[in-house]
Amino acid sequence: MPLVSALLLAGLLAGCSSTTVDKTAGWSPNRIHSEAQDEMNSGAYDKAVPLLEKLEGRAAGTPLAQQAQIDKAYAHYKAGEKAQAIATLDRFMKLHPASPALDYALYLKGLVNFNDNLGLFSFISRQDLSERDQKAAKDSFEAFSELVTRFPESRYAQDSRQRMTYIVNSLAQYEVHVARYYFQRGAYVAAIGRAQVALADYQGVPALEEALYILIQSYDALGMTQLRDDARRVMDKSYPQSAYLNGGFKGKSDPWWKVW
């Protein structure tokens, strides 16, 4: 046999031997679903995803296919694949706007962004949630808000409301964190601006006490005594026992936010 032909034959044989075999080819949709659940229960989310994709195709048009989409989103979420989880959920909600699992899809979308915003090492580093980018928190809030508005009796509604409160506190604290950053660097006008945003946009949250304190100190540093005194009167009325007026800014201690 000529050398060239032998090499071509060897290449063809090698290609055939490396062809991926679909082990699910003869499986029923129910078996694929069962295998995928087993992988997820064992924490092998990367192995569950391709099984769920096959299930979605094999069971197209059935409730089992919808379940496969939701399960796939959850598997992506647990595997830390935020973008894939969100894309899967958005697709599910677009394709199945009347699904009985729509409330769960919204809840899971909120969780994906909520946990992403917490960050894996925030507790270890003692980094406050408010010190990080807030886009994920806002996206999370929108998903939870849609859930409680559209499905107020959902089993996920109460937890969503609690998380919304947490997020609002976080967003307010973020503004105050930035205001403090500016104040401590002598950028008093910028500090006033961010403190005023917190006071205008949020009501009844813990961060407002520090926002008022930053206003008082910033106005004082700029020699704006009338505005300083106005802010001080509001502070005295709203927080008569304020620790800020007696002790200044708090030191870095345990984060104020609740770890879920």
Side-chain angles (χ1 to χ4, degrees):
M1 178 183 296
L3 178 59
V4 174
S5 299
L7 291 174
L8 288 174
L9 179 59
L12 289 172
L13 291 173
C16 292
S17 64
S18 63
T19 301
T20 302
V21 177
D22 182 2
K23 68 176 184 178
T24 70
W27 292 5
S28 67
N30 285 334
R31 181 178 175 186
I32 298 175
H33 180 253
S34 178
E35 293 286 340
Q37 291 299 309
D38 287 344
E39 296 291 7
M40 292 176 67
N41 290 337
S42 66
Y45 300 105
D46 58 327
K47 294 180 180 179
V49 167
L51 289 171
L52 293 166
E53 289 174 343
K54 288 186 180 297
L55 177 58
E56 185 181 349
R58 303 252 183 106
T62 70
L64 194 55
Q66 294 186 31
Q67 184 63 50
Q69 292 177 35
I70 288 289
D71 287 345
K72 185 173 70 169
Y74 180 79
H76 282 309
Y77 158 61
K78 294 296 288 183
E81 298 168 339
K82 171 191 170 183
Q84 293 93 321
I86 295 296
T88 301
L89 289 167
D90 285 343
R91 178 171 174 268
F92 174 86
M93 289 186 282
K94 182 178 180 180
L95 291 175
H96 311 290
S99 171
L102 194 61
D103 61 336
Y104 176 71
L106 286 167
Y107 179 69
L108 183 54
K109 186 175 181 179
L111 285 183
V112 171
N113 282 312
F114 186 90
N115 284 342
D116 174 79
N117 200 39
L118 274 175
L120 181 60
F121 300 108
S122 56
F123 177 77
I124 297 174
S125 66
R126 307 176 75 83
Q127 182 182 38
D128 196 309
L129 173 62
S130 67
E131 297 175 16
R132 307 191 62 189
D133 175 67
Q134 299 298 289
K135 183 182 184 305
K138 292 176 181 178
D139 290 343
S140 180
F141 185 90
E142 289 178 3
F144 289 136
S145 178
E146 184 176 353
L147 188 157
V148 300
T149 300
R150 296 178 60 183
F151 307 100
E153 302 303 319
S154 167
R155 60 184 292 188
Y156 308 107
Q158 181 58 33
D159 186 66
S160 295
R161 293 187 185 99
Q162 292 175 350
R163 291 175 188 270
M164 288 169 66
T165 299
Y166 164 88
I167 292 170
V168 168
N169 287 340
S170 166
L171 293 174
Q173 187 64 37
Y174 172 73
E175 296 297 338
V176 174
H177 170 76
V178 176
R180 187 192 325 123
Y181 174 89
Y182 284 134
F183 175 80
Q184 291 174 341
R185 284 155 182 77
Y188 302 119
V189 174
I192 290 168
R194 297 309 286 257
Q196 287 177 334
V197 166
L199 292 164
D201 290 354
Y202 304 98
Q203 301 296 322
V205 297
L208 300 189
E209 181 181 357
E210 185 176 358
L212 279 168
Y213 178 71
I214 291 171
L215 276 184
I216 294 169
Q217 297 301 312
S218 296
Y219 285 138
D220 187 62
L222 292 172
M224 305 172 75
T225 55
Q226 183 174 345
L227 290 174
R228 177 201 65 195
D229 293 343
D230 289 343
R232 177 61 188 261
R233 279 192 289 271
V234 175
M235 184 75 152
D236 289 338
K237 182 178 180 180
S238 302
Y239 306 99
Q241 305 299 323
S242 176
Y244 286 99
L245 293 176
N246 296 323
F249 291 107
K250 297 178 181 177
K252 192 69 172 179
S253 59
D254 288 338
W256 62 270
W257 43 272
K258 175 184 177 182
V259 178
W260 292 81

